[in-house]
Amino acid sequence: MGIGVSVFLIAIGAILAFAVDATVSGLDIAVVGYILIGAGLIGLAFTLYLSSRSNGPVVRDREVVRDREVPPRDVY
């Protein structure tokens, strides 16, 4: 889940939890909103955690091979 999807879930959850005043039999829309907010927050924390781990330094061992040396050119 990316940052965009997490923010989208948080926004939809906040709308359902705080702005919608409808009733559905057998379903509390505010609870669904809180669940979506929680899922968005968990997804955001997980995404930020993984992105901070993957941006570490990259260390590679490379062998430098010198094929030939270019002689200096005369400048007139």
Side-chain angles (χ1 to χ4, degrees), residues 22-47:
T23 57
V24 177
S25 64
L27 181 67
D28 191 2
I29 294 178
V31 172
V32 173
Y34 291 128
I35 290 172
L36 287 177
I37 291 172
L41 289 175
I42 290 171
L44 183 64
F46 189 68
T47 301

Side-chain angles (χ1 to χ4, degrees), residues 44-66:
L44 183 64
F46 189 68
T47 301
L48 292 177
Y49 173 72
L50 287 181
S51 68
S52 68
R53 289 188 61 206
S54 65
N55 289 338
V58 176
V59 178
R60 294 186 179 125
D61 292 332
R62 287 199 249 171
E63 183 177 332
V64 177
V65 177
R66 205 175 250 190

Side-chain angles (χ1 to χ4, degrees), residues 4-28:
V5 175
S6 299
V7 171
F8 179 73
L9 286 177
I10 293 170
I12 294 298
I15 290 170
L16 289 177
F18 305 121
V20 174
D21 195 24
T23 57
V24 177
S25 64
L27 181 67
D28 191 2

